[in-house]
Amino acid sequence: MNAEVIENFSFTAPQSSPEDLARERLDLSEEERRVVDGDKYGGKGQQATEETEEYINDALESLEKALMSIKVKPEYDEALKRCPESTQSREFRLKMLRAELFVVKTTAERIVKYWETKVMVWGEDIAYRDGRDPTLADMSQEDYNSLLLSKWMILPRKDKHGRGIMYVCRPAWVYQDRKNLLRAVWYMWNAAVEDEAIQKRGLVFLSYAVGDSALRYDRKVDTHVVRVFRACPVRVCCGHHVADSWVIKMMFPFALFMMGRSIRNRVELHCDPEHLIEDLEKYGITEAEVPREAGGTLDFDFEEWLSDRRARGL
């Protein structure tokens, strides 16, 4: 491993080894294991919430109290002053509750992280402007290029359990500044949950790293990507990471540690790209939902999709 790799990669950074994951798995209660397997494999075991009007209203009332109990939340407090309607809107808070399966405490914490991270990624002027989600028009040319070329995209087909599929081709990641990619990531996570079915059913994350190089690995950008994901109103049911490079496989435990225990137990590493489709079918994803470059049969014109959204002011 040469000096360029070592510069971006720390061997002393915390990591989660296969042995650590096995121990975590053993430490799960029977109910926790059932929930994790339900999220990974879909079907009857997947978590779901019956959203009656009474249930939603009670959750929203409890959420307001939970937010008030958090003492230090400067970005959220500023949002309340500058864009109160959107900050307190039923639509926004319901997205957040769904992302946390209506657990009020963690929803309040996610909302606080949302505003902290939104300001970090976009700056105050865009973050607080009417409280709206940033659009393609808010991106610089470098941001847009990063979004288009990095292929961080919500695919047009859902898996057989009705979950959305977020796909990213890691070898294609392009950015002049890390924030170019973070704005692209923020944009796509929030675009995904425009679909109410994805808010309710969640989505599956498919990271295709075949052909990736250790020379391109940037641990800091991975750290910030995870931070953005944890702040946005989206629930990732499970993740699939596809890699053929021993170096990328070696770096995977460091990424797992950053994800946190909950996501870590829902991530699978696929080391045989030739049998990827066969592996993914176990989780409810068929070749029809996977882009051709990853071995599937899906053709998706991402640039056309973006052009259509720009024309609609999104």
Side-chain angles (χ1 to χ4, degrees):
M1 191 175 291
N2 65 27
E4 288 183 79
V5 178
I6 293 173
E7 183 178 352
N8 285 324
F9 182 75
S10 170
F11 290 97
T12 60
Q15 61 177 299
S16 292
S17 68
E19 293 75 21
D20 293 331
L21 291 177
R23 281 194 294 271
E24 280 190 352
R25 179 76 176 174
L26 288 173
D27 288 342
L28 294 175
S29 67
E30 184 176 339
E31 174 62 16
E32 287 175 322
R33 194 173 295 115
R34 184 193 68 79
V35 168
V36 168
D37 286 344
D39 278 350
K40 287 170 66 174
Y41 295 99
K44 293 181 179 179
Q46 188 177 3
Q47 300 179 86
T49 302
E50 184 180 354
E51 296 183 8
T52 65
E53 193 64 21
E54 181 181 6
Y55 184 84
I56 290 173
N57 289 335
D58 286 346
L60 290 170
E61 183 178 339
S62 297
L63 177 58
E64 177 64 24
K65 295 176 181 176
L67 284 165
M68 291 176 64
S69 71
I70 299 175
K71 302 303 180 184
V72 181
K73 50 184 189 306
E75 291 83 3
Y76 172 80
D77 290 338
E78 185 66 18
L80 279 180
K81 296 176 185 176
R82 296 171 64 168
C83 45
E85 290 185 7
S86 57
T87 308
Q88 296 175 302
S89 74
R90 176 188 174 96
E91 178 185 9
F92 170 71
R93 293 191 172 186
L94 187 52
K95 283 182 185 178
M96 287 292 189
L97 283 164
R98 287 168 173 159
E100 292 290 343
L101 290 169
F102 285 81
V103 178
V104 170
K105 181 178 183 296
T106 55
T107 301
E109 292 167 352
R110 185 181 284 255
I111 288 175
V112 171
K113 289 177 186 175
Y114 172 90
W115 286 106
E116 290 175 355
T117 310
K118 190 175 186 181
V119 171
M120 183 272 289
V121 171
W122 293 96
E124 290 191 5
D125 290 344
I126 293 177
Y128 294 132
R129 183 201 53 204
D130 302 326
R132 294 185 292 114
D133 287 331
T135 68
L136 290 171
D138 295 315
M139 289 186 170
S140 67
Q141 188 61 50
E142 290 77 15
D143 296 338
Y144 181 79
N145 290 344
S146 184
L147 173 60
L148 176 62
L149 299 175
S150 298
K151 300 182 183 178
W152 193 294
M153 51 196 184
I154 184 72
L155 298 179
R157 295 177 60 99
K158 295 181 174 68
D159 75 359
K160 74 175 186 179
H161 304 297
R163 303 178 295 189
I165 303 174
M166 184 73 81
Y167 174 82
V168 58
C169 181
R170 285 195 65 113
W173 281 15
V174 176
Y175 51 91
Q176 291 188 14
D177 181 275
R178 290 186 179 108
K179 284 191 178 179
N180 299 144
L181 184 65
L182 297 182
R183 291 178 188 128
V185 172
W186 181 281
Y187 180 83
M188 288 310 304
W189 281 130
N190 285 278
V193 291
E194 291 170 8
D195 184 337
E196 188 173 292
I198 291 179
Q199 293 178 33
K200 292 180 176 180
R201 299 295 296 174
L203 57 75
V204 175
F205 186 66
L206 177 57
S207 173
Y208 190 72
V210 173
D212 206 357
S213 166
L215 292 173
R216 294 168 40 81
Y217 184 74
D218 186 339
R219 187 168 57 89
K220 289 184 179 179
V221 84
D222 268 6
T223 301
H224 288 305
V225 164
V226 171
R227 177 179 175 181
V228 168
F229 145 67
R230 286 177 170 171
C232 289
V234 62
R235 182 166 71 91
V236 176
C237 300
C238 62
H240 299 278
H241 186 79
V242 189
D244 62 346
S245 161
W246 70 268
V247 178
I248 299 302
K249 294 173 192 174
M250 183 182 70
M251 294 173 177
F252 189 62
F254 296 87
L256 280 176
F257 181 85
M258 290 186 288
M259 292 175 189
R261 179 175 179 268
S262 178
I263 294 298
R264 213 166 29 237
N265 281 294
R266 291 166 168 81
V267 174
E268 295 291 331
L269 176 62
H270 303 272
C271 301
D272 185 1
E274 290 187 7
H275 294 92
L276 174 63
I277 300 302
E278 181 182 339
D279 289 344
L280 291 178
E281 285 178 348
K282 302 171 187 174
Y283 302 91
I285 303 172
T286 71
E287 64 178 3
E289 290 92 54
V290 179
R292 286 191 183 276
E293 68 182 6
T297 60
L298 177 66
D299 292 311
F300 178 44
D301 191 329
F302 186 45
E303 186 170 11
E304 182 180 335
W305 184 85
L306 289 172
S307 296
D308 175 69
R309 288 181 63 83
R310 186 184 290 276
R312 291 188 288 133
L314 298 174

